[in-house]
Amino acid sequence: MTISSFYKINSRMLWTRNLKNKTYLQRTKILKFTSFFCFVFSFSCASSGFGTQGLLFEDQRISLMETGFSATKEGIACAKSYLGLLALGDASVETSQKNGNIKEITSIEIESYNFLGIYAKLCTVTKGN
């Protein structure tokens, strides 16, 4: 049997095998991408941990306390989280009060930011005189 006769006889088998391999590779790529996507978004580690939680994105400001008096100064203190593995910072009311050089507090707010569970930031905003 010559090479050309082999291809004439088995050409249909060669084409279907190639086609099956291509679809198999495409299916495995899609499966890998889908499983990675589900893993990343279902286990988003970094979170501000306060208020409503957004899976893809979160940017909000929540008022905790307000006296109704006007404020002339503002102090901010932030804490950050990376993948939920590393958390740094001091977001306490005392630190934000010191940063703004505030003697009398008129309002306290919390700002939270989260991006894809990769990076999260929580800030305490203190206003006063």
Side-chain angles (χ1 to χ4, degrees), residues 10-41:
N10 298 319
S11 64
R12 179 179 247 176
M13 184 176 66
L14 290 174
W15 278 101
T16 56
R17 185 182 304 150
N18 268 347
L19 186 60
K20 285 181 182 175
N21 285 342
K22 267 190 174 179
T23 56
Y24 175 75
L25 290 175
Q26 288 174 348
R27 275 190 243 148
T28 56
K29 284 181 183 179
I30 290 170
L31 182 63
K32 286 179 184 179
F33 176 76
T34 306
S35 61
F36 177 74
F37 184 80
C38 290
F39 176 77
V40 168
F41 288 112

Side-chain angles (χ1 to χ4, degrees), residues 14-107:
L14 290 174
W15 278 101
T16 56
R17 185 182 304 150
N18 268 347
L19 186 60
K20 285 181 182 175
N21 285 342
K22 267 190 174 179
T23 56
Y24 175 75
L25 290 175
Q26 288 174 348
R27 275 190 243 148
T28 56
K29 284 181 183 179
I30 290 170
L31 182 63
K32 286 179 184 179
F33 176 76
T34 306
S35 61
F36 177 74
F37 184 80
C38 290
F39 176 77
V40 168
F41 288 112
S42 66
F43 297 110
S44 55
C45 298
S47 171
S48 63
F50 198 87
T52 57
Q53 299 295 315
L55 184 62
L56 299 175
F57 180 75
E58 169 190 344
D59 188 14
Q60 56 188 336
R61 191 172 189 144
I62 302 168
S63 180
L64 294 179
M65 189 233 16
E66 193 162 333
T67 61
F69 297 114
S70 62
T72 57
K73 298 178 184 176
E74 181 176 280
I76 299 175
C78 294
K80 299 173 185 174
S81 174
Y82 304 96
L83 290 175
L85 300 174
L86 183 65
L88 305 168
D90 181 9
S92 65
V93 174
E94 292 84 14
T95 305
S96 64
Q97 187 178 2
K98 287 178 188 174
N99 290 344
N101 196 17
I102 298 170
K103 304 283 188 246
E104 183 181 323
I105 297 174
T106 59
S107 71

